[in-house]
Amino acid sequence: MDAEPYELVATPDGMTARIRARGRAVLATPMINRGTAFTPAERDALGLSGLLPSGVSTLEGQLRRVYAQYLRVPDDLARNVFMANLRDRNEVLYYRLLAEHLPEMLPIVYTPTIGQAIERYSHEYRRPRGVYLSIDRPDDVETSFRNFGLGPDDVDLIVATDAEGILGIGDQGVGGIEIAIGKLSVYTAAAGIHPHRVIPVVLDVGTDNRALLDDDLYLGHRGPRVRDQRYDDLIEAYVTTASRLFPHAMLHWEDFGAGNARRILDTYADRYCTFNDDMQGTAAVVLAAAFSALRTSGTRMRDQHVVIHGAGTAGLGIADMMREVMIREGLSEAEATSRFWALGSRGLLVDDSSRLRDFQLPYARPAAEVAGWHGAGSAAGIDLATVVANVRPTILIGTSAQPGSFTEPIVKQMAAHVERPVIMPLSNPTSRAEAFPADLLDWTGGRALIATGSPFPPATVGEDVHTIAQANNALVFPGIGLGVTVARASRVSDGMITAAADAVARLSPSAGPTGPTAPLLPPIEELWTVSAAVGAAVARAAADEGLAQVPVTDPERQVDQAMWRPAYPRIEVI
């Protein structure tokens, strides 16, 4: 690829950038531009003399400068733009800054602030990043990927979205490319996936967002969201083409609508290396919290009665993973399924309903079983309070987006029958949480084991201060991608997802000497260490299941060697 301004190669002394560009072309190429950190000799060799101030900075000095600039930016959206501009200028500096301040900056480059950037995408458009696949031009899929300029051995990860279910703000059309870009930034900052071995993709299939369609500046397909065979044909073309051109890449699905997310995953999971973070990533981090809670309470997954309030793709994805663990612990599939009670918008799922989605059917309770319950047979359905009173659950999970639905009577009813109730109000943002942790601890006398979807401050009960775990998908998905990359896994199995969850649970502070007041999950501050542990566990599981396409002999060492650290490479002028 002689037209490229540089190439990165691994050499015995680390990464080397072989640079053929000169002058302003060097400064305009983010992966090789190091700005004021170019030495005088490098400036002479690369045609940069006179194009930079005479002072030479270290990377550490540049970090201090850009972080001070970041702190002066007035609001979160402006900080998101600041970070995007830094990435467009100097990628090593961008990822080093992000990695060193990840807990602070993760909400800026990813959720929730990226939601504002997505909504403003067509108005704030700066430069293209990624591949745009349009429903208008399905025959251009292969050409589009080839135009991106990477070869078959150059790609580890592709994140694609159709932007129908973005971050709780819904259908955002072509602006959804920003969620794929943001996700890949987290993969890099948290797990060392090289930023030039990834591709963000948006499947532009139209939008039902009237505000976008009425906006003269909107940059996507200007028409209603396509939902017929053309949609499935574009998905098929994307999957088969991407997998053929980049045979080692994991295909990550992000923010697809409920009507397509599970259907697409079920269609391709057994044939291609695919992963849906909204389903499998959410399930993995919740499973990790459950593993930690059960170790604290001294019980097994197979012994749990689980109520899931919110029977969508996320809630039942959690149920699927927990059920698989129960089966591995010795239950039959029917026995394991019978341990779950799921509620949708019309109450408990019951098998005589005509309104169930395919993925809900396995969890629908027999109508005869609940015939005597209060509310059975009514249009309103059987509510959460009735389910809790009859089931006596040990685990209560909220994915309903119904704020305050875990009421004091419901929680006290649950706590009356279990010593350490596991309660996870996972809906976010905070305004949609099913309950607040401080209330849950108050209503259970400090006995509840809690994980939440949104961050919450510590809660005090008597003299005990309880740190609240946040079930943040960032604890699992970067490491899963890393492990798949190291093993060159042919697909992502349930066993690999469970291995990721177990690796996170083993790093939980609740397993340490601080005991029951410690969080069920490790903090975001430890994300790099967590991702390395998850990556090793996933690679080992892939090898154990015969899914690894390269030898996995020392997964910890192989993972460590695979993790890219943002540092300026050695320069070789060609």
Side-chain angles (χ1 to χ4, degrees):
M1 300 169 70
D2 293 339
E4 290 296 312
Y6 74 99
E7 58 181 327
L8 286 175
V9 296
T11 54
D13 57 347
M15 293 298 295
T16 295
R18 294 175 175 165
I19 302 177
R20 55 178 57 88
R22 296 293 185 272
R24 288 187 295 173
V26 175
L27 302 180
T29 307
M31 183 48 74
I32 57 174
N33 176 35
R34 58 184 68 179
T36 57
F38 282 115
T39 67
E42 291 166 345
R43 298 180 190 197
D44 289 341
L46 293 170
L48 299 175
S49 297
L51 302 184
L52 293 163
S54 59
V56 176
S57 302
T58 63
L59 177 56
E60 289 68 26
Q62 290 178 316
L63 281 169
R64 291 195 300 272
R65 180 182 297 118
V66 295
Y67 184 54
Q69 293 169 353
Y70 173 89
L71 292 177
R72 291 196 296 272
V73 177
D75 59 67
D76 286 349
L77 181 58
R79 292 186 187 99
N80 176 278
V81 172
F82 174 90
M83 293 296 287
N85 288 336
L86 177 60
R87 182 183 58 221
D88 289 344
R89 185 172 77 248
N90 183 330
E91 284 192 271
V92 169
L93 184 56
Y94 166 80
Y95 282 110
R96 183 70 173 269
L97 179 68
L98 179 58
E100 293 199 1
H101 300 276
L102 194 56
E104 176 185 359
M105 294 182 176
L106 187 61
I108 301 299
V109 303
Y110 192 54
T111 175
T113 306
I114 200 170
Q116 300 175 57
I118 292 168
E119 290 177 312
R120 297 286 303 167
Y121 177 78
S122 293
H123 288 256
E124 304 294 339
Y125 181 80
R126 292 178 295 276
R127 61 175 290 178
R129 275 185 174 268
V131 171
Y132 300 75
L133 302 179
S134 173
I135 196 72
D136 295 324
R137 306 188 67 172
D139 294 335
D140 284 356
V141 172
E142 180 164 347
T143 300
S144 300
F145 275 119
R146 290 194 181 280
N147 287 343
F148 197 74
L150 295 178
D153 296 323
D154 297 337
V155 181
D156 296 324
L157 190 60
I158 303 174
V159 174
T161 183
D162 74 350
E164 185 176 7
I166 298 287
L167 299 170
I169 59 176
D171 186 345
Q172 295 297 319
V174 75
I177 188 70
E178 289 287 349
I179 196 66
I181 294 169
K183 204 81 174 187
L184 287 168
S185 289
V186 182
Y187 269 113
T188 297
I193 302 293
H194 197 287
H196 278 219
R197 296 185 60 84
V198 302
I199 305 176
V201 172
V202 64
L203 298 155
D204 184 9
V205 297
T207 178
D208 292 333
N209 185 328
R210 178 49 57 184
L212 295 178
L213 294 175
D214 292 342
D215 185 348
D216 290 342
L217 295 181
Y218 179 60
L219 291 170
H221 172 81
R222 194 172 292 276
R225 182 169 286 272
V226 173
R227 302 184 184 277
D228 56 23
Q229 187 61 41
R230 291 177 296 160
Y231 177 91
D232 288 346
D233 289 346
L234 183 62
I235 296 291
E236 176 77 9
Y238 160 66
V239 173
T240 56
T241 303
S243 297
R244 174 168 49 84
L245 295 179
F246 313 111
H248 306 306
M250 183 179 86
L251 307 184
H252 174 133
W253 306 100
E254 184 70 20
D255 284 348
F256 283 70
N260 288 316
R262 179 177 289 267
R263 182 175 66 88
I264 291 172
L265 186 65
D266 289 346
T267 299
Y268 296 105
D270 291 335
R271 294 184 285 146
Y272 297 94
C273 186
T274 71
F275 169 77
N276 185 308
D277 186 47
D278 304 303
M279 294 168 55
Q280 295 165 293
T282 298
V285 74
V286 174
L287 187 60
F291 283 158
S292 295
L294 298 185
R295 286 172 183 153
T296 299
S297 64
T299 58
R300 298 177 300 173
M301 187 66 74
R302 60 172 290 169
D303 300 322
Q304 307 308 309
H305 285 189
V306 184
V307 169
I308 296 181
H309 186 43
T313 54
L316 295 188
I318 294 167
D320 287 346
M321 291 304 305
M322 288 186 169
R323 182 176 64 171
E324 287 301 314
V325 174
M326 292 178 180
I327 292 170
R328 280 196 291 275
E329 291 181 352
L331 296 185
S332 68
E333 182 175 344
E335 288 171 330
T337 304
S338 72
R339 301 293 200 271
F340 293 87
W341 290 259
L343 293 92
S345 59
R346 298 176 181 87
L348 182 68
L349 303 186
V350 180
D351 64 6
D352 63 354
S353 172
S354 62
R355 297 175 173 177
L356 299 180
R357 295 179 180 269
D358 289 346
F359 66 86
Q360 293 174 326
L361 288 172
Y363 294 101
R365 305 301 300 194
E369 171 194 313
V370 301
W373 291 12
H374 173 73
S378 70
I382 301 174
D383 64 15
L384 180 62
T386 302
V387 172
V388 170
N390 284 274
V391 170
R392 296 185 177 182
T394 57
I395 298 177
L396 176 60
I397 294 172
T399 52
S400 68
Q402 296 180 18
S405 54
F406 292 177
T407 63
E408 182 175 359
I410 288 173
V411 172
K412 286 187 171 180
Q413 172 71 246
M414 178 184 181
H417 301 287
V418 58
E419 177 61 28
R420 301 304 304 272
V422 180
I423 307 176
M424 302 191 202
L426 299 176
S427 295
N428 52 43
T430 304
S431 60
R432 293 186 178 272
E434 287 83 2
F436 288 178
D439 291 332
L440 295 175
L441 290 165
D442 180 42
W443 299 335
T444 62
R447 293 184 288 123
L449 297 167
I450 301 168
T452 61
S454 299
F456 282 92
T460 301
V461 179
E463 296 182 354
D464 294 327
V465 178
H466 296 252
T467 303
I468 308 302
Q470 183 191 2
N472 191 324
N473 288 25
L475 291 168
V476 292
F477 76 78
I480 290 172
L482 176 62
V484 168
T485 297
V486 166
R488 291 288 186 223
S490 57
R491 63 183 181 88
V492 179
S493 69
D494 289 342
M496 292 160 66
I497 301 296
T498 301
D502 188 60
V504 174
R506 291 181 184 279
L507 293 174
S508 164
S510 66
T514 50
T517 61
L520 296 177
L521 296 167
I524 293 297
E525 287 83 355
E526 298 175 9
L527 198 46
W528 186 268
T529 300
V530 172
S531 295
V534 170
V538 168
R540 185 180 294 108
D544 291 344
E545 295 183 32
L547 299 174
Q549 298 182 88
V550 298
V552 180
T553 54
D554 186 347
E556 286 77 14
R557 179 184 60 81
Q558 288 171 273
V559 161
D560 181 71
Q561 291 180 343
M563 297 175 79
W564 176 73
R565 281 118 173 131
Y568 291 133
R570 192 174 69 88
I571 290 177
E572 181 179 315
V573 179
I574 58 176

